Amino acid sequence: SHALKTIYAYDVNKLDGYKDAVHGVVTGQMLADFDKYADTNLAALKQAQTSADALADPIGVTLLTQDRAELLVNFVVSANKNGVAQQSASGPIVLKMQKVDGKWLAAAIVDQ
């Protein structure tokens, strides 16, 4: 829940530190993809003046080892612009997690 909210929930007026916060919760391909598109995405968010909230409702664990986990999550992202609700997206996802230095980090998201 924490990783997903860190990545997908943001206040357009408080984006300083956003990239560092996301770096603290992602790893692997997810980190590479984030870094590849972060500056472009942040510029687009600032231009559009949208903010977003995220709700992650864990449903269950589909895989668990010492250093990997897969979680089935019902995930909702709701956007708003100047306090007016915009389009939202929802549905189940599989969040793949990897333990790095004793901390669980998001490694991949699979839409269901």
Side-chain angles (χ1 to χ4, degrees):
S1 179
H2 171 69
L4 291 170
K5 288 180 182 181
T6 299
I7 298 164
Y8 291 101
Y10 55 86
D11 180 336
V12 71
N13 297 311
K14 298 177 184 176
L15 291 175
D16 292 341
Y18 173 74
K19 289 190 334 186
D20 289 337
V22 172
H23 279 190
V25 298
V26 298
T27 191
Q29 188 61 47
M30 213 166 161
L31 177 59
D33 289 344
F34 175 79
D35 284 343
K36 184 175 180 180
Y37 300 109
D39 291 334
T40 302
N41 288 342
L42 286 172
L45 293 175
K46 289 176 184 176
Q47 183 177 1
Q49 288 295 299
T50 58
S51 297
D53 289 319
L55 174 63
D57 186 17
I59 296 171
V61 177
T62 60
L63 171 77
L64 181 60
T65 68
Q66 287 186 350
D67 63 349
R68 289 184 3 174
E70 291 184 4
L71 311 169
L72 181 59
V73 178
N74 188 37
F75 190 51
V76 179
V77 177
S78 303
N80 67 73
K81 182 174 184 171
N82 299 323
V84 177
Q86 304 292 306
Q87 190 171 12
S88 64
S90 65
I93 62 168
V94 174
L95 175 62
K96 295 183 178 189
M97 305 288 288
Q98 183 175 342
K99 191 181 272 189
V100 177
D101 296 329
K103 184 176 178 183
W104 287 102
L105 303 175
I109 294 175
V110 180
D111 293 331
Q112 291 298 305

